Amino acid sequence: AGGIFLGAAAGYYIGMKEAFIRVWVNNVKKSKFQLFQENLIMMDSSRMDEQALEKMFRVIEKKKVKCLVGYSSALGELSNYIQKTGKDCSRCKVKAIIPISETMPEPVRRTLEKQFDCPVRAWYSNEENGIMGLQNEDNEGYRIDTETYYYEILKLDSDEPAEPGELGRIVITDLYNYAIPLIRYDNGDLAVAERKEKDGRFRLYLKELYGRRGDMIYDCKGRIVSPFVLLNGLSMAKGIDQYRFIQEDETRYTLWLNGDKEQIDEKAILDFIGPYFGEEAEITVEYVDEIPVLNSGKRKSFENRCEKYIKK
């Protein structure tokens, strides 16, 4: 019931023609009968070259897809392809776009909304619990399903509750999981949360959702740098198709870029992101032909290779 409600709140209603963009490995692939039941199209994101993106767009248009669900990075590449090729989306029937699994940069979200003339609101979800929350319309965080799950936001280095507005670990208790109850499950995500009271009931809002702790990037003094700084800064830069920001050690960083070197203003990018890391930061830019995807099909935007932080 919670999943049905959060789907409807995002613009998806049961029975809508839906296209799901992800890597369809054997354990999640659906049979033809299941696809018919769910009115679903499987779109594979393991290949995202121009030929694959062209085929994806044609299916969305011809099959009159009403809802697009998929990895944020894959939806971002589809949006970038539409922009580069000047595709006309007016014949598409998409009524809702729901990014999952990764944080979608705000500029990409706004571009998708304009291209398909429909709302783009992310789900907060995982494999173990399902759909747990929905991004607010104004992108000011996520409203969380506290009817189904019990959440705790704990300090990064202890099991004490985080203060309001403090970055903490998300710990979930799920008694509705019929395979096995999940008791105080630390799923690895970090967030800044606040509780709001309405009509005598408290609701949890995630003001900022940071993703996996192992993917966090730190400045030269050991403080976490908000991923939104990098996501928005790099997404707004011209000429970039893909990127990955890597922390090599406490003061050295590498920025992988894939795109049009003639359009990319390397100096402007470094001038924007450099001050967030401190004067000691050494940021090296490397151009690559392709940013590799993980086995899950997600394309990691941040990677921390510094032993000090990997051991945390």
Side-chain angles (χ1 to χ4, degrees), residues 217-218 230 234 243-257 266 269-270 273 277 281-288 291 300-306:
I217 302 295
Y218 297 76
L230 299 171
L234 292 169
Y243 57 85
R244 180 179 294 177
F245 193 86
I246 303 165
Q247 181 160 14
E248 307 286 0
D249 60 28
E250 293 180 56
T251 59
R252 290 191 306 112
Y253 308 85
T254 302
L255 175 59
W256 286 354
L257 295 177
E266 189 177 310
I269 293 170
L270 294 178
I273 65 178
F277 294 91
E282 299 176 28
I283 304 175
T284 303
V285 177
E286 295 180 3
Y287 291 89
V288 296
I291 305 291
K300 185 183 287 190
S301 298
F302 310 110
E303 180 181 357
N304 200 319
R305 298 177 181 174
C306 179

Side-chain angles (χ1 to χ4, degrees), residues 29-178:
K29 273 186 178 178
K30 295 179 181 288
S31 67
K32 288 184 178 179
F33 182 64
Q34 285 176 307
L35 295 175
F36 173 75
Q37 276 186 312
E38 299 176 24
N39 204 10
L40 180 71
I41 299 170
M42 294 188 296
M43 288 187 171
D44 197 341
S45 64
S46 55
R47 281 182 57 242
M48 295 294 283
D49 55 25
E50 286 202 5
Q51 185 178 357
L53 289 165
E54 172 65 26
K55 181 180 178 182
M56 202 175 280
F57 182 82
R58 285 204 311 269
V59 170
I60 292 169
E61 184 181 53
K62 290 184 178 180
K63 297 290 185 180
K64 297 181 180 178
V65 170
K66 295 286 183 67
C67 180
L68 278 176
V69 179
Y71 295 148
S72 295
S73 57
L75 288 168
E77 291 196 40
L78 176 63
S79 173
N80 191 40
Y81 172 75
I82 291 169
Q83 201 166 30
K84 284 171 63 176
T85 57
K87 292 287 183 184
D88 181 9
C89 299
S90 63
R91 291 190 294 273
C92 296
K93 304 297 183 182
V94 178
K95 302 297 182 185
I97 299 175
I98 304 173
I100 60 170
S101 297
E102 308 148 312
T103 301
M104 175 171 280
E106 182 63 11
V108 177
R109 180 174 179 250
R110 289 198 301 267
T111 301
L112 272 169
E113 285 181 332
K114 289 179 183 177
Q115 287 169 334
F116 288 97
D117 191 26
C118 72
V120 179
R121 299 176 67 186
W123 274 333
Y124 177 46
S125 60
N126 63 21
E127 294 283 353
E128 300 80 18
N129 302 104
I131 304 168
M132 300 179 289
L134 176 67
Q135 189 177 37
N136 296 327
E137 289 182 7
D138 55 5
N139 197 26
E140 292 296 326
Y142 293 72
R143 176 179 171 177
I144 295 301
D145 177 8
T146 49
E147 305 294 327
T148 309
Y149 311 96
Y150 180 74
Y151 293 86
E152 298 170 84
I153 310 298
L154 304 182
K155 291 181 179 292
L156 295 180
D157 299 313
S158 75
D159 289 335
E160 299 296 318
E163 300 295 329
E166 178 185 4
L167 182 65
R169 297 177 288 124
I170 299 177
V171 177
I172 305 165
T173 295
D174 177 6
L175 300 178
Y176 286 88
N177 189 318
Y178 296 130

